[in-house]
């Protein structure tokens, strides 16, 4: 029986020793994350120039630029060239319009002559021809149907479509 107690004591002692000391622990190596430099915030882009180009008017059955409207077009050319200097190249559609006097076919052709006349004038002032396109609406988009105010229909309007 003494042998059994001794054996039991030895076994309990070895059990306690194994429990307390235990197996060697695995070492966990934590590698630090590499330093990543934060990306600099992009500089805000300059706000694009908003081109608000006023309407140019024509005399009855004419497509030549009037003196007062020449000054308006000179201002338009300055704006468009200034936008180009700032890195934006607006694409501008010049729309030719007419009053309802005459046939639809004649007014469509007159509207195109008016739009082309404005385009030629702007190109002579230094605006890139590639930025300008023309279209005629003839008498399709009237401002007024009042015969006493038909001069408001004889016009060229500008639509800024995009900037590059």
């Amino acid at each position: 029986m003494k042998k059994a107690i001794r054996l039991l004591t030895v076994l309990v002692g070895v059990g306690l020793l194994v429990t307390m000391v235990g197996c060697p622990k695995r070492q966990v190596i934590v590698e630090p994350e590499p330093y990543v430099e934060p990306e600099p915030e992009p500089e805000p882009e300059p706000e694009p120039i908003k081109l608000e180009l006023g309407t140019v008017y024509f005399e009855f059955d004419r497509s030549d630029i009037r003196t007062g409207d020449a000054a308006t077009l000179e201002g338009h050319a300055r704006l468009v060239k200034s936008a180009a200097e700032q890195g934006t190249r607006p694409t501008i559609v010049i729309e030719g319009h007419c009053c309802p006097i005459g046939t639809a076919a004649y007014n469509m052709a007159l509207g195109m002559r008016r739009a082309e006349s404005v385009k030629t004038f702007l190109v002579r002032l230094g605006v890139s021809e590639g930025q300008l396109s023309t279209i005629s609406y003839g008498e399709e988009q009237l401002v007024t149907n009042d015969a006493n105010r038909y001069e408001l229909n004889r016009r060229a309007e500008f639509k800024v479509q995009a900037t590059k």
Side-chain angles (χ1 to χ4, degrees):
M1 178 127 156
K2 272 186 171 190
K3 260 186 166 183
I5 292 180
R6 199 183 265 166
L7 182 60
L8 186 59
T9 307
V10 170
L11 284 175
V12 169
V14 169
L16 283 174
L17 186 65
V18 168
T19 307
M20 296 181 115
V21 174
C23 299
K25 302 287 183 212
R26 238 185 210 173
Q27 262 190 335
V28 178
I29 300 173
V30 178
E31 292 186 28
E33 291 185 28
Y35 177 73
V36 176
E37 203 167 308
E39 292 184 30
E41 290 191 27
E43 292 184 29
E45 292 185 22
E47 198 153 318
I49 294 177
K50 293 184 180 180
L51 295 176
E52 295 191 22
L53 307 177
T55 302
V56 176
Y57 295 95
F58 296 88
E59 296 296 330
F60 175 72
D61 200 29
R62 301 296 301 253
S63 61
D64 51 327
I65 307 296
R66 301 185 307 182
T67 305
D69 291 317
T72 301
L73 290 174
E74 288 167 0
H76 292 1
R78 277 192 301 278
L79 286 173
V80 173
K81 290 190 296 187
S82 173
E85 289 170 2
Q86 292 186 15
T88 59
R89 288 198 47 182
T91 302
I92 301 166
V93 177
I94 305 166
E95 300 175 344
H97 300 273
C98 298
C99 67
I101 299 173
T103 66
Y106 181 81
N107 285 333
M108 193 63 76
L110 179 58
M112 184 54 80
R113 285 195 307 272
R114 288 176 173 168
E116 287 293 331
S117 175
V118 170
K119 178 181 177 180
T120 301
F121 194 88
L122 290 172
V123 169
R124 285 187 192 144
L125 293 173
V127 176
S128 171
E129 188 173 358
Q131 291 178 257
L132 305 173
S133 62
T134 57
I135 189 168
S136 175
Y137 288 106
E139 58 188 74
E140 293 175 10
Q141 296 180 357
L142 299 176
V143 172
T144 181
N145 286 316
D146 181 359
N148 295 323
R149 301 184 68 211
Y150 275 171
E151 66 272 2
L152 297 175
N153 294 321
R154 303 174 195 129
R155 69 195 189 281
E157 294 182 345
F158 303 88
K159 302 295 184 222
V160 180
Q161 289 195 327
T163 55
K164 295 178 182 177

